[in-house]
């Protein structure tokens, strides 16, 4: 039977990340990001931002698939599993309605159990399932890990670390394009690493 572990704080290159839920089964490890949204939801797999429309007002939020990629990589690293053994899942639990066709791993609450049951290829032995659960439970969040996670978030806003290679990021000014004159964070390893992030 699948075993669920909730509210984890896991190490990453730039500090820590908070993972909502992980379900471990012989058919893989399901890394689950939950979103409690109301209203209409518009999005697709490739967009950086998705849109919520609520009471005729539009709000933008980070693509939760992109957000959950970092969580999946953190789980993959801490469990030392191959990428094929992990499944990224986003579940909307609020009173929302999808207004665009979503990827198969973006679900409403009632779709989660059928999605997990749809996976039938055995990827983990009973021993690997048990060891994965033991490792994950050791990283359950508590007051101290939550405090450290918040401290890491604040530090990364001041001195961000490249999410791709782990080098420090430096503040740069765009010279051309629609954002010419605007500032952004770029990896100090450029041009070997071309990762960037907004100066927000």
């Amino acid at each position: 039977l699948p075993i669920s572990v909730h509210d984890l704080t896991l190490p990453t290159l730039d500090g820590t990340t908070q993972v909502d839920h992980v379900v471990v089964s012989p058919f893989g490890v399901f890394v689950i990001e939950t979103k409690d949204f109301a209203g209409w939801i518009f999005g697709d797999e490739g967009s950086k931002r998705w849109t919520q429309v609520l009471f005729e007002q539009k709000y933008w939020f980070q693509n939760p698939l992109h957000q959950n990629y970092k969580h999946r990589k953190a789980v993959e690293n801490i469990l030392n599993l191959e990428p094929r053994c992990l499944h990224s899942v986003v579940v909307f639990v609020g009173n929302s309605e999808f207004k665009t066709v979503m990827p198969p791993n973006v679900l409403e609450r009632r779709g989660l159990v059928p999605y997990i049951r749809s996976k039938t290829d055995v990827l983990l032995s009973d021993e690997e399932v048990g060891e994965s659960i033991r490792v994950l439970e050791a990283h359950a969040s508590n007051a101290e890990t939550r405090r450290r996670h918040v401290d890491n978030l604040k530090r990364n806003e001041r001195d961000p670390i490249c999410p791709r290679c782990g080098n420090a990021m430096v503040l740069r000014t765009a010279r051309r394009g629609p954002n010419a004159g605007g500032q952004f964070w770029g990896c100090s390893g450029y041009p070997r690493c071309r990762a960037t992030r907004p100066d927000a």
Side-chain angles (χ1 to χ4, degrees):
L1 291 175
I3 303 296
S4 302
V5 187
H6 310 285
D7 190 14
L8 308 172
T9 302
L10 302 181
T12 63
L13 285 174
D14 58 355
T16 54
T17 193
Q18 191 272 331
V19 180
D20 290 339
H21 313 281
V22 179
V23 174
V24 183
S25 80
F27 310 107
V29 176
F30 299 81
V31 183
I32 302 168
E33 170 73 13
T34 57
K35 293 295 179 187
D36 188 1
F37 281 34
W40 292 350
I41 305 297
F42 298 81
D44 62 73
E45 190 167 6
S47 298
K48 289 185 178 180
R49 293 182 178 178
W50 287 10
T51 305
Q52 175 196 33
V53 178
L54 184 64
F55 303 122
E56 299 183 354
Q57 295 292 317
K58 289 186 178 180
Y59 306 92
W60 289 270
F61 59 100
Q62 181 184 3
N63 182 336
L65 290 170
H66 295 178
Q67 183 181 9
N68 207 38
Y69 175 79
K70 181 177 184 179
H71 302 162
R72 188 186 68 78
K73 291 298 293 184
V75 174
E76 176 187 323
N77 291 337
I78 203 166
L79 297 182
N80 196 27
L81 294 175
E82 296 181 20
R84 67 184 183 89
C85 297
L86 291 99
H87 308 285
S88 174
V89 186
V90 174
V91 180
F92 282 77
V93 299
N95 185 24
S96 59
E97 179 183 351
F98 298 146
K99 302 302 285 188
T100 50
V101 177
M102 291 295 178
N105 58 334
V106 178
L107 314 163
E108 295 174 335
R109 186 200 305 262
R110 62 179 178 271
L112 178 58
V113 172
Y115 180 82
I116 292 174
R117 288 178 175 170
S118 74
K119 305 299 181 182
T120 56
D121 292 338
V122 175
L123 301 174
L124 301 177
S125 67
D126 290 345
E127 291 76 14
E128 288 173 318
V129 168
E131 177 63 12
S132 296
I133 293 166
R134 185 192 67 77
V135 171
L136 291 169
E137 287 180 339
H139 287 83
S141 298
N142 55 44
E144 175 61 20
T145 59
R146 290 189 192 96
R147 185 193 63 77
R148 288 203 306 266
H149 179 58
V150 170
D151 288 346
N152 282 327
L153 292 176
K154 292 177 180 177
R155 176 179 57 80
N156 288 341
E157 286 299 314
R158 296 190 305 270
D159 305 298
I161 300 298
C162 177
R164 188 173 299 169
C165 69
N167 283 328
M169 301 192 88
V170 293
L171 197 59
R172 295 196 168 106
T173 301
R175 296 181 179 178
R176 61 176 79 85
N179 298 319
Q183 291 191 308
F184 66 96
W185 292 97
C187 182
S188 61
Y190 179 89
R192 181 173 49 83
C193 178
R194 296 174 179 266
T196 61
R197 53 164 280 187
D199 177 29

